[in-house]
Amino acid sequence: MEIIISNSSDKPIYEQICIQIKGLIMNGSLSAGEALPSMRALAKDLHISVITVQRAYEDLTRDGFIETVSGKGSFIAPQNREFIQEEQLRIAEELLQKVADIGRTHGITFEQMANILKLYYEE
């Protein structure tokens, strides 16, 4: 498992870890029951604090992506991909509603908004 941390990102490091692990789970690179590196091992590999990795693992556990077994480690949780994708779609719809409201309020055309979305999506 390769996690890449960007110091120039506007996202906190723990969030970058979460996003990348969720992506690996969703695309099938990590499967149910597979062990994740220990918090200490991942922190050492990434040259970051164990507390940062702990925060990422806690968030992943809360969101149902991983399960942590005391004394054994953290493992990829069984996933209901359809449920996860539906939840992510709902979140995207809420955010896009806000974008549409801003566009209408400030006279930004649909084409301009679509171009912006395309740029971010292809990034």
Side-chain angles (χ1 to χ4, degrees):
M1 177 177 82
E2 184 177 347
I3 302 289
I4 299 169
I5 300 300
S6 171
N7 292 326
S8 61
S9 174
D10 60 340
K11 296 192 182 319
I13 293 172
Y14 76 89
E15 195 173 325
Q16 292 180 51
I17 295 169
C18 287
I19 290 168
Q20 290 179 55
I21 291 176
K22 286 178 183 180
L24 292 169
I25 293 168
M26 291 303 294
N27 74 19
S29 296
L30 294 175
S31 52
E34 194 170 333
L36 288 173
S38 72
M39 290 183 212
R40 287 184 183 167
L42 187 56
K44 183 178 178 184
D45 288 347
L46 298 176
H47 304 289
I48 60 173
S49 166
V50 174
I51 294 169
T52 303
V53 177
Q54 180 181 11
R55 170 79 188 269
Y57 279 23
E58 286 172 353
D59 285 2
L60 289 165
T61 300
R62 181 198 67 223
D63 295 343
F65 283 90
I66 68 171
E67 298 171 337
T68 301
V69 180
S70 224
K72 293 189 177 185
S74 297
F75 303 88
I76 305 302
Q79 301 297 312
N80 179 341
R81 280 195 167 77
E82 288 179 24
F83 172 77
I84 292 169
Q85 286 181 325
E86 185 63 32
E87 178 65 15
Q88 295 306 308
L89 183 59
R90 184 190 61 75
I91 292 168
E93 287 172 352
E94 288 176 7
L95 294 171
L96 287 170
Q97 179 62 53
K98 291 177 185 176
V99 169
D101 292 344
I102 290 169
R104 280 192 301 271
T105 303
H106 299 286
I108 302 169
T109 67
F110 173 79
E111 289 77 19
Q112 289 172 309
M113 288 296 203
N115 287 334
I116 293 168
L117 177 60
K118 184 178 180 190
L119 282 172
Y120 282 114
Y121 197 84
E122 293 174 349
E123 198 171 72

